[in-house]
Amino acid sequence: MKTLMYFFVMAVIVIAGCAKDDTMFETQDNLELKKAKVPVPFKADCFAVFDVEIYWKLWVSGTATHIGKIDEKSFYIIEATEYMEGVPYHINTGSGKLVAANGDCSDITFWVKQSDIDGSYTGTITFTPGTGTGKLEGVTGTCNMVGGMDYEKGGTWFKLDGFLVYE
């Protein structure tokens, strides 16, 4: 009886192991939302390190919905910093490129309000219309950005949370 039960359990495990799983990034619901041109949720966890040659350029890595792993070719450049007298923060603005592991990419612009006390920041990142390729072709959207400096690792971490619209 134990042998029969053992074979039954093993058969169930083998059948379950061969079942096709949906991927996290390309479910049928996401494909239908993309075709309908409605906002699709977008989230990303990222870490950026400063370029050794161009100080205001940061190289980005991490993971994001719809594209998976973010390629190390992703970057952003702080193009302007506005300091205001009497307030403990400054405003950074700039642009960059978000590149997926398979080479799909989109240009981005951003602004952040960064604390002069602890290096934390909040802001917005915007996907530039008409600049995307591959999965990001025709994408527009805006994401809220929350992050901070990681002085031990010599970089900055940030999370994105927003919506993309595929045309």
Side-chain angles (χ1 to χ4, degrees):
M1 185 68 175
K2 286 183 181 180
T3 305
L4 182 60
M5 183 63 84
Y6 174 76
F7 285 123
F8 177 72
V9 169
M10 291 308 293
V12 169
I13 290 172
V14 169
I15 291 170
C18 294
K20 184 176 187 280
D21 294 330
D22 286 336
T23 62
M24 179 178 132
F25 305 112
E26 289 296 332
T27 63
Q28 189 62 32
D29 293 339
N30 285 344
L31 293 174
E32 289 175 9
L33 288 174
K34 288 178 184 177
K35 291 177 188 174
K37 297 182 183 178
V38 298
V40 179
F42 181 82
K43 295 181 186 269
D45 291 319
C46 304
F47 190 79
V49 294
F50 288 95
D51 188 297
V52 293
E53 296 176 7
I54 305 170
Y55 181 72
W56 294 111
K57 183 175 187 176
L58 289 96
W59 296 100
V60 179
S61 61
T63 58
T65 54
H66 311 296
I67 62 172
K69 183 178 178 185
I70 297 172
D71 192 272
E72 286 81 19
K73 294 176 189 162
S74 300
F75 68 91
Y76 67 91
I77 298 173
I78 299 171
E79 297 168 348
T81 300
E82 180 183 350
Y83 292 95
M84 294 159 278
E85 190 173 325
V87 295
Y89 62 85
H90 61 275
I91 306 294
N92 291 327
T93 57
S95 61
K97 185 175 290 273
L98 182 67
V99 182
N102 66 357
D104 298 347
C105 64
S106 179
D107 290 348
I108 57 169
T109 58
F110 70 92
W111 72 266
V112 295
K113 178 174 146 181
Q114 185 170 5
S115 168
D116 293 333
I117 298 169
D118 64 2
S120 64
Y121 57 86
T122 61
T124 302
I125 183 172
T126 303
F127 287 80
T128 308
T131 63
T133 62
K135 287 183 183 180
L136 297 174
E137 184 174 2
V139 72
T140 59
T142 303
C143 297
N144 293 322
M145 180 189 301
V146 176
M149 297 297 296
D150 187 332
Y151 297 105
E152 291 179 14
K153 294 182 181 178
T156 180
W157 63 270
F158 59 93
K159 294 180 181 284
L160 301 176
D161 187 8
F163 293 91
L164 301 181
V165 176
Y166 292 85
E167 296 183 13

